[in-house]
Amino acid sequence: MTSLPLIIALAWRNLWRNKRRTAVILFAMALGVWAMIVTAAFMRGMALQVLDDTIDNLTGHIQIHNNNYLDDPVIENSFKTNKAIESALQHTDIINWSNRIRVPAVISSERDTSGLVLVGIDPEREADLSFLKSSISEGQYFSGADDKGIIIGKKLAENLETRLGKRVVVITQNTRNEISDRGFRITGIYDTPTEGMETGFVFMTRRSAETLIGVANLSSEIAIITRSLEHVDPVIKALKSDLPDLDIQSWQTIQPFTQLIVEMYGDFQYIWHLIVFLAMSFGIINTLLMTIFERSREFGLFQALGLKPRFILMQVWIESMFMLAIALIIGNLVSWLTVLSTGDGIDVSAFAKGMEMAQLSNIIPFIIISEDLFLANSIVIVLGMLTGLYPAWRASRLVPANAITRV
Amino acid sequence: MNTKQTDLVVECQKITKTYQQGIIEVHALTDIDFNVQRGEFICLSGPSGSGKSTLLNMIGGLDAPSSGEIFIDGEEIDELDKSELADMRLHKIGFIFQAYNLIPVLTAQENIEMVMQMQGINKADRNRKSLSILKEVGLEGLENRKPPELSGGQQQRVAVARAIVSRPSLVLADEPTANLDSVTANKLIDLMLSMNEQHKTTFIISTHDPMIMQRAKTLVKLHDGKITEVISQE
């Protein structure tokens, strides 16, 4: 391998022989790497945003229901909160939980009426679990378990032509299948990125809901937040063992669309990386083949002087590896700067309707994680190494007598 | 491997080279028998297409004959694979071409050291030998210049220095003076003759240049791929 230092030096110097061409191909390759990483960061941000929004929008990581509730979400399909449940919820990987009453209801202002879901919550527990407290735009969150007010969405207030401080009437069925109604003063209005949320849910305390429906100590669901997504499955396993009579589901089964988006993201990333690399590889191959054509006399001379064909192959290949390495460094650096410059994310409110359909917020953060960086760089390195082999092989196969005399 | 003890540097037996150009067969060399003694200074002459360069390429292992055998230092080269041929050229043969002799990204000294580096000679020895040979060919002080910064004559001198620096058995030169003016060409011939005298290096030069033909020890004339005349001029 005495020729190795020589061919490494030659490969490096040859890279800068035609500076303009090298700059153009480096720009194209770095752009490809940038496109891979930044798109991955955007898609990852979008997928995690969907996931966060889903978990934040009342779903939580895990939910506990009566076995029949998900098929027929009426008050009869509720369950009593007892010591066994409270004990099971003491699991070390559960960081928060909240039990709720959820029933279909109709809300009526002095001007309009709307059908929605009434949610009775424990204000203290719910404060850290879902979006509600942090989304109050007018008025205030519940002051305590005895608060008699109602919190409605901003869009619903617009639709009902009502406002903070006004009274609305909530109508629902009680456990005896009789109509039960009651007036509530609007003490808070919440504002979220999704209008569907704002028009679909109103909130009151559990105590108010129990009074309205005529029940006590009943829960439609318990939403649970675990330490992380990795803890969801073990916690479900433990809860199922402790509470065999209840239905315990993860966010994936409760919100399959979110799960689909997260899974699609992974597949899309592979396809996107391959498309970008394919375009990039044409640049690499074309440049190297041009180089070989232009330098065929030089390769012939090398062979005449006694350089073995495998070292000629290595010289061209190492040259392409230098190009690849520089493009990767530039591409990664620029990607990092791009993501850094976007701060909390980019505002996509121009596409608000479409984003809402996908259950997305208007601000999409760019998130780079090590796995995505590793994947993008690995694809470029592995396929780049293979791509560089063909031109290198062509160079090593030149017949010296023909190569030297080529004009 | 077929190897024999001999004082012949080059031994060609019944060398034939036929190229296929479409449906036409072109006989570049026909039944060439050609031997070269150690220390010779031979000039191959003849019109264009006579087979001079083809014969040099065959001897240097840059191309393979259609038939016949070639021995370099007693070693039959058509039995060697590409890698072994490269090794043979590295250790036994120096080349000087008409043009594009030097690697443009290397300095004059690096161009000379390149062959020694491939041979595995250590850096200190390479440095000493390359500076010494640069002085010998009259290029002292120009060691750090790259080929584009050297004149055509200076580039050919670097090529001669590179060809002989590791004392090969044989130097093959294909039209080495073709791109040079007469004064520079004459100096280059002086240089090659002096290397031949001092180091007993064998030279085979293909040329149209009458100056080289006059000063060669042996003049071999080719025509239509055949040796027509061998003239000893010593």
Side-chain angles (χ1 to χ4, degrees):
Chain A
M1 296 300 273
T2 49
S3 302
L4 197 58
L6 173 71
I7 63 170
I8 290 172
L10 281 167
W12 179 252
R13 290 191 197 180
N14 279 322
L15 189 64
W16 305 110
R17 203 155 143 184
N18 190 334
K19 289 189 181 71
R20 186 182 298 176
R21 188 168 61 198
T22 302
V24 168
I25 189 67
L26 278 178
F27 174 75
M29 289 169 71
L31 190 69
V33 174
W34 175 85
M36 283 180 174
I37 296 173
V38 171
T39 310
F42 179 74
M43 294 295 292
R44 176 68 68 186
M46 207 153 79
L48 291 181
Q49 184 72 46
V50 172
L51 188 56
D52 281 352
D53 285 352
T54 301
I55 289 163
D56 214 25
N57 290 351
L58 304 178
T59 307
H61 289 142
I62 299 169
Q63 285 193 359
I64 301 175
H65 300 104
N66 176 301
N67 281 321
N68 300 319
Y69 181 81
L70 288 178
D71 292 332
D72 186 11
V74 293
I75 193 65
E76 287 83 354
N77 290 331
S78 302
F79 58 95
K80 288 253 181 217
T81 313
N82 55 32
K83 291 273 182 207
I85 293 174
E86 284 181 5
S87 166
L89 292 171
Q90 298 297 315
H91 193 289
T92 50
D93 291 331
I94 294 175
I95 56 171
N96 200 4
W97 59 271
S98 178
N99 55 345
R100 304 171 182 142
I101 295 174
R102 283 174 74 144
V103 286
V106 171
I107 188 166
S108 177
S109 71
E110 53 201 353
R111 295 195 187 274
D112 214 336
T113 303
S114 183
L116 37 68
V117 175
L118 164 65
V119 187
I121 59 170
D122 177 338
E124 200 180 329
R125 286 197 167 279
E126 198 72 35
D128 297 329
L129 194 139
S130 68
F131 71 96
L132 189 61
K133 188 175 183 185
S134 59
S135 301
I136 298 291
S137 60
E138 289 179 63
Q140 60 185 21
Y141 186 65
F142 299 118
S143 55
D146 294 327
D147 196 314
K148 301 271 191 305
I150 188 167
I151 296 175
I152 69 170
K154 187 180 173 188
K155 186 66 183 173
L156 180 66
E158 283 172 25
N159 292 349
L160 296 177
E161 296 182 57
T162 188
R163 63 176 189 273
L164 190 71
K166 288 274 196 179
R167 285 181 72 84
V168 287
V169 176
V170 178
I171 308 159
T172 188
Q173 275 191 344
N174 61 25
T175 48
R176 296 181 300 281
N177 292 326
E178 293 165 345
I179 295 293
S180 176
D181 57 47
R182 199 171 170 202
F184 294 89
R185 191 170 301 283
I186 301 170
T187 54
I189 291 179
Y190 68 89
D191 185 6
T192 64
T194 51
E195 286 185 358
M197 193 76 209
E198 291 173 20
T199 55
F201 295 88
V202 294
F203 298 87
M204 58 181 63
T205 62
R206 276 185 61 87
R207 205 157 288 170
S208 296
E210 284 175 350
T211 308
L212 176 65
I213 304 164
V215 295
N217 201 25
L218 266 188
S219 294
S220 306
E221 71 185 21
I222 296 175
I224 297 168
I225 297 292
T226 60
R227 290 191 189 283
S228 72
L229 288 174
E230 282 71 41
H231 291 101
V232 170
D233 287 340
V235 170
I236 286 181
K237 199 175 171 187
L239 290 175
K240 279 186 173 174
S241 156
D242 293 344
L243 308 169
D245 298 331
L246 291 172
D247 182 23
I248 296 154
Q249 304 273 3
S250 70
W251 63 270
Q252 287 108 318
T253 48
I254 296 164
Q255 297 285 357
F257 182 62
T258 304
Q259 170 69 358
L260 183 71
I261 288 177
V262 173
E263 281 176 2
M264 267 173 54
Y265 159 75
D267 297 339
F268 174 80
Q269 194 181 201
Y270 277 107
I271 295 166
W272 173 245
H273 285 356
L274 284 175
I275 290 170
V276 173
F277 184 82
L278 204 64
M280 216 162 83
S281 62
F282 283 117
I284 300 173
I285 291 179
N286 187 43
T287 305
L288 288 174
L289 287 179
M290 280 287 291
T291 299
I292 289 161
F293 182 75
E294 284 176 6
R295 302 210 313 248
S296 57
R297 293 181 70 158
E298 195 173 307
F299 292 126
L301 178 64
F302 275 124
Q303 293 200 50
L305 296 178
L307 193 65
K308 290 176 179 157
R310 71 168 182 273
F311 286 115
I312 290 173
L313 184 144
M314 281 173 76
Q315 191 198 132
V316 177
W317 189 73
I318 289 170
E319 198 175 321
S320 69
M321 289 306 100
F322 276 138
M323 206 146 65
L324 207 63
I326 296 168
L328 277 172
I329 291 168
I330 296 171
N332 277 277
L333 201 65
V334 176
S335 303
W336 182 69
L337 290 173
T338 305
V339 170
L340 215 62
S341 69
T342 60
D344 292 336
I346 54 166
D347 188 353
V348 289
S349 49
F351 313 100
K353 281 286 172 198
M355 300 307 286
E356 196 181 325
M357 279 175 67
Q359 301 182 10
L360 278 168
S361 301
N362 291 339
I363 304 290
I364 304 292
F366 281 74
I367 297 172
I368 291 185
I369 63 166
S370 53
E371 284 92 338
D372 292 345
L373 265 185
F374 180 75
L375 179 70
N377 283 290
S378 303
I379 285 179
V380 175
I381 290 167
V382 173
L383 296 183
M385 285 165 90
L386 295 175
T387 306
L389 273 179
Y390 173 66
W393 177 78
R394 284 278 301 267
S396 72
R397 299 285 297 172
L398 290 169
V399 175
N402 298 340
I404 287 166
T405 53
R406 188 176 284 178
V407 179
Chain B
M1 191 180 293
N2 191 357
T3 310
K4 55 187 180 183
Q5 286 296 110
T6 173
D7 199 39
L8 293 174
V9 179
V10 178
E11 196 178 349
C12 298
Q13 296 173 354
K14 300 277 179 207
I15 295 298
T16 297
K17 181 67 182 178
T18 307
Y19 294 107
Q20 197 73 36
Q21 284 188 338
I23 53 168
I24 302 166
E25 278 193 346
V26 179
H27 300 285
L29 295 174
T30 311
D31 284 340
I32 297 280
D33 286 315
F34 176 61
N35 296 333
V36 179
Q37 297 284 341
R38 207 167 296 280
E40 284 257 30
F41 194 94
I42 293 179
C43 176
L44 303 177
S45 74
S48 293
S50 59
K52 307 183 296 291
S53 295
T54 306
L55 182 57
L56 277 189
N57 286 342
M58 302 290 138
I59 294 169
L62 300 180
D63 204 352
S66 305
S67 65
E69 290 164 345
I70 300 170
F71 294 85
I72 302 293
D73 272 347
E75 185 179 0
E76 190 174 354
I77 65 168
D78 45 318
E79 285 186 353
L80 304 178
D81 63 22
K82 280 187 175 183
S83 185
E84 290 167 333
L85 270 175
D87 251 349
M88 186 273 293
R89 286 194 292 266
L90 178 62
H91 292 102
K92 293 185 176 173
I93 302 176
F95 282 93
I96 304 164
F97 297 102
Q98 178 180 337
Y100 211 89
N101 255 311
L102 305 177
I103 304 300
V105 294
L106 300 179
T107 63
Q109 188 178 358
E110 287 169 336
N111 263 286
I112 294 168
E113 286 189 13
M114 184 173 71
V115 173
M116 291 188 281
Q117 193 170 352
M118 290 193 284
Q119 288 173 336
I121 295 171
N122 68 53
K123 193 172 180 181
D125 282 352
R126 288 201 310 260
N127 190 47
R128 184 177 49 77
K129 285 183 179 179
S130 59
L131 289 176
S132 160
I133 199 84
L134 273 167
K135 190 176 177 183
E136 214 173 324
V137 298
L139 293 175
E140 198 176 14
L142 302 182
E143 57 271 14
N144 291 323
R145 289 206 188 170
K146 288 189 175 166
E149 298 159 352
L150 297 169
S151 69
Q154 287 169 333
Q155 288 187 36
Q156 288 302 70
R157 282 169 176 269
V158 175
V160 171
R162 184 190 58 203
I164 60 168
V165 70
S166 53
R167 303 284 181 262
S169 308
L170 174 66
V171 171
L172 302 175
D174 190 5
E175 308 269 9
T177 58
N179 289 345
L180 304 178
D181 61 75
S182 59
V183 176
T184 314
N186 221 348
K187 283 181 181 171
L188 189 74
I189 298 162
D190 286 343
L191 177 65
M192 289 192 288
L193 278 166
S194 116
M195 295 294 144
N196 169 252
E197 289 295 331
Q198 282 179 34
H199 305 299
K200 302 296 171 207
T201 307
T202 310
F203 278 79
I204 304 176
I205 304 166
S206 90
T207 188
H208 284 105
D209 188 341
M211 278 193 301
I212 300 183
M213 291 183 213
Q214 282 168 17
R215 299 178 67 182
K217 292 177 184 170
T218 305
L219 180 63
V220 177
K221 291 188 174 177
L222 282 105
H223 195 270
D224 286 344
K226 291 175 185 165
I227 293 175
T228 53
E229 198 177 356
V230 178
I231 307 166
S232 175
Q233 302 186 136
E234 278 187 300

